[in-house]
Amino acid sequence: MRVTPDKLAEFRAEMPLAEFTTIHLGGSAQYFIVCRTVDEIISAVSFFQTTGFPVFILGGGSNVVFPDHGVRGLVLKVELKGIRLDEQGDCTVLVANAGESWDDLVKLSVEKNLAGIECLSGIPGSAGATPIQNVGAYGQEVKDTIISVKALDRKSLDIIEFSAAECRFGYRRSRFKLDDRNRFVILEISYRLIRSGEPALKYAELRDYMESKKLHQGISVGDKLGAVREAVLELRRKKSMVIDPSDPNSRSVGSFFVNPVLADGKYGDFLERLKRYGLGPAPSYKSEEGIKVPAAWLVENAGFRKGQRRGGVGISTNHALALVNYSGTTKELLTLASEIEDAVGDKFGIKLEREAVIIE
Ligand code: NAP
């Protein structure tokens, strides 16, 4: 098909992107469209296939950093709305379209007394992003509740339904983030929630907080889910991990780096280095995949501190893992990120992985 100016005119040209992201960075999209139906997505994706221009899929914008010079091709914002609750025995299946706000889903589940995602309160972004990196926090991960994910294959334009096993979930990853990166547009996710289930209180920080405030004593199961949600929101607010226009520290993508999981040999090498530098023990947690070490600890012990500034960007005053845009540029942000990566690599022999999606 020849690319006609008429067809391109259906797309908004030179759309500034910064306001579509929680970190408020980046230039303009050459072309931009908001899609509210699956047909609109298919039409835009198939047309852009004929142009040869790249297509970038945007959800809630909470985990993406656009370049200062903008994005060539199309930025397609998925705003598929719609929620369904299907009763199945003791469970309720929450079926959500990808453009639903994630935190609205968590709020709804807690209000309906459905357990399974209460610890994932206050995470910005859309439901569609959750299977991509197997979003998790405070002892829960979406892989624990996801039954299936429907996605559009951008090449064949087929809609495929993946079971949870087929999503190949791991710590902050899935097939959609690794082997099949940029291949699919997530359309719909089904989460299995337990009716009147007990909240998950596996995470020490959350449990301690609930205990210190006596939040879970003498209340019904339904109220317990609400209490956990409030506690998680409070913990996240303290770390500026809830988007709040009045909190300049929350102009971020949340955690910029993934907490590294070290295999045995790597962990041994890390312990050797701690000895060599005369550093006390680092916090560490056993997981199925190895030993997890908090990236924030590595950042602070590699010579950076909370509140440190570099021009218009810096490290949040409330969490060393959040890089914040106060009034800066993507170039400044990525320079700071590289500086941190180099320092952590040199000192601890650990290569930090960026959790944020950085668009070139
Ligand atoms: P944190 O509580 O300082 O914890 C840092 C690291 O230590 C994480 O890897 C965490 O594992 C691990 N950890 C802490 N307590 C643990 C325990 N009792 N058992 C097992 N592992 C433990 O982390 P934070 O940066 O303030 O974040 C709070 C929570 O939000 C964490 O669960 C973090 O993973 C999550 N988070 C998730 C995303 C995301 O999914 N994109 C982004 C930002 C933060 P886990 O990661 O397994 O919890």
Side-chain angles (χ1 to χ4, degrees):
M1 190 205 286
R2 206 166 60 82
V3 179
T4 62
D6 286 2
K7 180 72 186 166
L8 275 176
E10 289 175 17
F11 299 87
R12 166 87 193 251
E14 293 308 319
M15 173 67 112
L17 290 170
E19 296 314 307
F20 291 102
T21 70
T22 53
I23 196 162
H24 299 272
L25 281 175
S28 297
Q30 186 180 11
Y31 295 104
F32 182 86
I33 193 166
V34 173
C35 291
R36 296 188 173 83
T37 67
V38 174
D39 285 347
E40 285 172 5
I41 296 175
I42 293 174
S43 164
V45 168
S46 64
F47 170 68
F48 266 79
Q49 271 177 358
T50 66
T51 67
F53 288 138
V55 175
F56 176 79
I57 308 295
L58 176 63
S62 60
N63 201 33
V64 63
V65 183
F66 289 120
D68 296 316
H69 56 73
V71 175
R72 194 181 144 261
L74 176 70
V75 172
L76 185 162
K77 182 156 166 51
V78 176
E79 284 200 0
L80 300 175
K81 301 285 183 192
I83 300 170
R84 214 174 62 234
L85 292 170
D86 292 339
E87 306 299 312
Q88 284 185 12
D90 293 346
C91 300
T92 296
V93 178
L94 169 64
V95 184
N97 280 328
E100 286 291 337
S101 142
W102 171 253
D103 195 49
D104 286 354
L105 293 186
V106 178
K107 184 163 176 272
L108 177 79
S109 72
V110 167
E111 283 166 2
K112 299 240 174 237
N113 207 359
L114 303 170
I117 51 176
E118 61 282 353
C119 298
L120 305 177
S121 293
I123 295 180
S126 58
T130 62
I132 295 179
Q133 56 169 335
N134 177 25
V135 163
Y138 297 102
Q140 279 178 338
E141 292 182 305
V142 289
K143 79 170 171 56
D144 304 333
T145 49
I146 285 181
I147 308 169
S148 61
V149 174
K150 263 191 205 162
L152 173 76
D153 185 330
R154 290 165 57 170
K155 258 197 199 146
S156 66
L157 302 178
D158 291 333
I159 294 177
I160 301 171
E161 182 159 2
F162 296 97
S163 66
E166 287 168 334
C167 293
R168 300 201 286 270
F169 291 122
Y171 183 65
R172 301 294 174 268
R173 59 189 150 76
S174 72
R175 69 183 298 159
F176 307 114
K177 188 170 170 183
L178 298 176
D179 324 356
D180 287 331
R181 195 179 187 108
N182 297 332
R183 178 166 165 200
F184 293 102
V185 184
I186 308 290
L187 303 175
E188 182 192 283
I189 311 98
S190 298
Y191 306 89
R192 184 188 286 111
L193 305 176
I194 311 292
R195 218 169 309 125
S196 302
E198 284 285 335
L201 278 179
K202 296 184 213 152
Y203 208 78
E205 188 187 6
L206 176 60
R207 222 173 27 231
D208 293 351
Y209 183 83
M210 298 283 295
E211 266 162 27
S212 71
K213 304 266 171 185
K214 307 212 180 321
L215 282 175
H216 62 313
Q217 292 173 2
I219 56 176
S220 69
V221 170
D223 290 342
K224 273 191 203 171
L225 289 174
V228 168
R229 174 171 166 78
E230 285 314 313
V232 169
L233 287 174
E234 192 46 37
L235 290 174
R236 293 186 67 94
R237 263 184 221 114
K238 283 190 187 156
K239 300 177 188 177
S240 295
M241 291 293 189
V242 174
I243 301 299
D244 174 355
S246 68
D247 178 358
N249 280 304
S250 73
R251 280 169 71 102
S252 77
V253 288
S255 302
F256 194 89
F257 302 106
V258 181
N259 295 306
V261 181
L262 308 178
D264 279 352
K266 265 273 177 212
Y267 187 64
D269 175 49
F270 174 61
L271 293 180
E272 281 300 315
R273 286 176 186 248
L274 292 185
K275 254 194 230 158
R276 202 184 310 152
Y277 294 118
L279 286 168
S284 60
Y285 304 92
K286 264 208 173 102
S287 78
E288 284 164 18
E289 297 169 38
I291 312 274
K292 223 183 299 157
V293 179
W297 187 94
L298 297 170
V299 171
E300 290 191 271
N301 284 278
F304 297 87
R305 56 177 171 74
K306 291 180 200 152
Q308 193 167 340
R309 293 275 190 121
R310 285 278 192 283
V313 302
I315 298 176
S316 164
T317 55
N318 292 326
H319 200 319
L321 212 43
L323 303 189
V324 176
N325 167 33
Y326 297 104
S327 58
T329 62
T330 299
K331 187 166 180 235
E332 285 178 301
L333 185 89
L334 297 184
T335 303
L336 174 59
S338 300
E339 216 183 296
I340 293 172
E341 285 157 353
D342 290 348
V344 169
D346 289 348
K347 187 157 184 180
F348 297 113
I350 294 174
K351 189 174 175 339
L352 286 178
E353 180 194 330
R354 294 177 180 183
E355 183 179 312
V357 177
I358 313 295
I359 308 305
E360 301 287 324

